[in-house]
Amino acid sequence: MPQIRLITFDLDNTLWDVHSVIINAEATMRAWLAEHVPVYGQQIDTQQVQQLRSSAVNENPALAHDVSALRKAVLQRAFVVCGYKEKAAHALSQQAFNVFFEARQQVVFFPGALTMLEELAGEFHLGALTNGNADINAVGLGQYFSFAFSSADVGVSKPAPDMFHAALRHAGVDAADTIHVGDNLVDDIAGAGQLGIHTIWTNHAAVSPGERDHAPTAIVSHLEELPAAVELIRSR
Ligand SMILES: [Mg+2]
């Protein structure tokens, strides 16, 4: 029987819907830009943002794993296009990013998320593993998690093993005594599964997983079901 001691969680789309969060954060930043840098809205369109993003990643591939640094780099390049000097563009990109970042932490948890985390935190070490830039303290989950790693921290995104290894090393727990919970069958389930970590797929949309090399150990469609799924894995 596995001695489950550590449970790691993906964040975006596992504990909240990220699409609506990003839409809202981008709208908040655009409103700030309209007020403080009106030329931005006149000169920069979505297509241009895409191009600036591509060229930023081409010149510095590490940005692909650091969504915060990438967003700042794109803003800075856009401000240069708008006619700002490098230094002013840099300062402005930091300010605009801060507006985005604060709004990006305003998440609406899926039903049952907080009670589930509270219950599990009483018995297990909990860690957060994200390819994004949600901040566990800023979203209000700091009291449940004992650590968090992002792709920006480790330099590469899930499903690469680095973030999972960082979590196991940090907690001092073996893969066989760990469960990873996430919504993405590749990044989360295959990524953790290939290391021998037990996995729980949060299948909020109740879709078929199809044929997979790394099938999840357990599947839940509501977060309320997670403690029971953990018990099931523990009792195997
Ligand atoms: Mg996710």
Side-chain angles (χ1 to χ4, degrees), residues 129-219:
L129 302 180
T130 181
N131 286 346
N133 55 2
D135 179 300
I136 50 166
N137 294 309
V139 300
L141 296 180
Q143 70 269 43
Y144 305 120
F145 288 103
S146 42
F147 66 89
F149 289 109
S150 71
S151 50
D153 295 330
V154 301
V156 60
S157 307
K158 296 177 287 180
D162 307 50
M163 215 189 301
F164 299 108
H165 279 148
L168 299 179
R169 212 165 31 234
H170 179 87
V173 176
D174 292 336
D177 299 331
T178 301
I179 298 174
H180 179 67
V181 180
D183 71 289
N184 191 294
L185 285 167
V186 177
D187 295 351
D188 296 305
I189 304 307
Q194 72 193 346
L195 303 178
I197 296 171
H198 307 276
T199 54
I200 300 177
W201 183 37
T202 54
N203 182 15
H204 296 292
V207 296
S208 162
E211 281 296 311
R212 293 278 165 177
D213 289 345
H214 289 282
T217 320
I219 302 175

Side-chain angles (χ1 to χ4, degrees), residues 40 44 48-49 51-60 63 70-84 86 89-90 93:
Y40 181 96
I44 305 295
Q48 211 158 4
V49 169
Q51 284 165 1
L52 293 172
R53 185 175 291 137
S54 301
S55 56
V57 171
N58 281 340
E59 285 169 38
N60 181 3
L63 288 175
L70 176 57
R71 191 172 283 273
K72 278 184 269 193
V74 170
L75 284 164
Q76 181 171 352
R77 282 159 188 256
F79 294 138
V80 169
V81 170
C82 291
Y84 286 87
E86 284 289 342
H90 177 78
S93 69

Side-chain angles (χ1 to χ4, degrees), residues 10 12-14 183 188:
D10 172 56
D12 292 328
N13 287 339
T14 293
D183 71 289
D188 296 305

Side-chain angles (χ1 to χ4, degrees), residues 34 37-45 48 82:
V37 197
V39 64
Y40 181 96
Q42 292 149 18
Q43 300 225 8
I44 305 295
D45 59 20
Q48 211 158 4
C82 291

